[in-house]
Amino acid sequence: MSQLSDLILKQVQSAAAGRDLSSSVLNGLSDSVLNSIKQTATSANGVQQLTELFTGKTSASSSSVTALATQIFSSQVAGKLGLSSAAASSASSLLPTIINGLVSAISSKGSGMNLASILSAVGAASNSSTVSKVTSIVSKLGGLFKKR
């Protein structure tokens, strides 16, 4: 989980570069993305939604994962941080960029993570047949795109 949390925070920091956001806001954005992935992974059709996001079938801007992260940030985090609605909206507008960066980092394989390891980290491993299928798909896709 730590590796995933660190990767998400790195994407948050990258997306927020040049903006005057406190570390509390950055951590709140990071937590919102992580909680969105966790909730999605363990919900009905959640693995499919994550698979579509991480394979590019769904863009980050139109993803239910992004919508949920925005909802979590707006309804749970922003109030705790005492953010005005304008500040909360400005911060949450970074979420599609953050999630797109996360998808790119995972896709590039430089992160050492893949969709199967994310699912396992967030507790979707309880459905081992689903994770097995995803692992198989990820392996096959990886084989198709390897440089020869």
Side-chain angles (χ1 to χ4, degrees):
M1 182 74 81
S2 172
Q3 186 180 7
L4 178 58
S5 297
D6 292 346
L7 184 58
I8 292 169
L9 185 56
K10 184 185 283 187
Q11 298 309 313
V12 169
Q13 292 167 337
S14 175
R19 295 194 183 213
D20 187 25
L21 297 175
S22 71
S23 61
S24 300
V25 173
L26 297 180
N27 288 330
L29 287 166
S30 182
D31 290 346
S32 297
V33 171
L34 182 59
N35 287 331
S36 175
I37 291 170
K38 281 182 189 178
Q39 288 181 34
T40 301
T42 56
S43 69
N45 298 319
V47 171
Q48 179 181 347
Q49 292 170 358
L50 288 168
T51 301
E52 290 173 357
L53 174 63
F54 282 92
T55 58
K57 283 188 174 181
T58 302
S59 70
S61 60
S62 64
S63 170
S64 60
V65 176
T66 305
L68 181 56
T70 301
Q71 178 189 356
I72 291 168
F73 184 81
S74 299
S75 66
Q76 297 174 18
V77 177
K80 288 179 185 174
L81 297 175
L83 298 178
S84 68
S85 60
S89 178
S90 175
S92 67
S93 71
L94 295 173
L95 286 164
T97 303
I98 293 164
I99 292 175
N100 190 53
L102 179 63
V103 169
S104 294
I106 299 296
S107 299
S108 73
K109 300 195 188 309
S111 67
M113 297 192 78
N114 60 33
L115 182 56
S117 63
I118 290 171
L119 293 173
S120 179
V122 298
S126 60
N127 186 347
S128 58
S129 68
T130 301
V131 172
S132 237
K133 288 176 188 173
V134 170
T135 302
S136 173
I137 291 168
V138 169
S139 295
K140 288 176 184 173
L141 288 173
L144 290 174
F145 296 109
K146 282 185 181 173
K147 291 182 181 177
R148 297 176 192 242

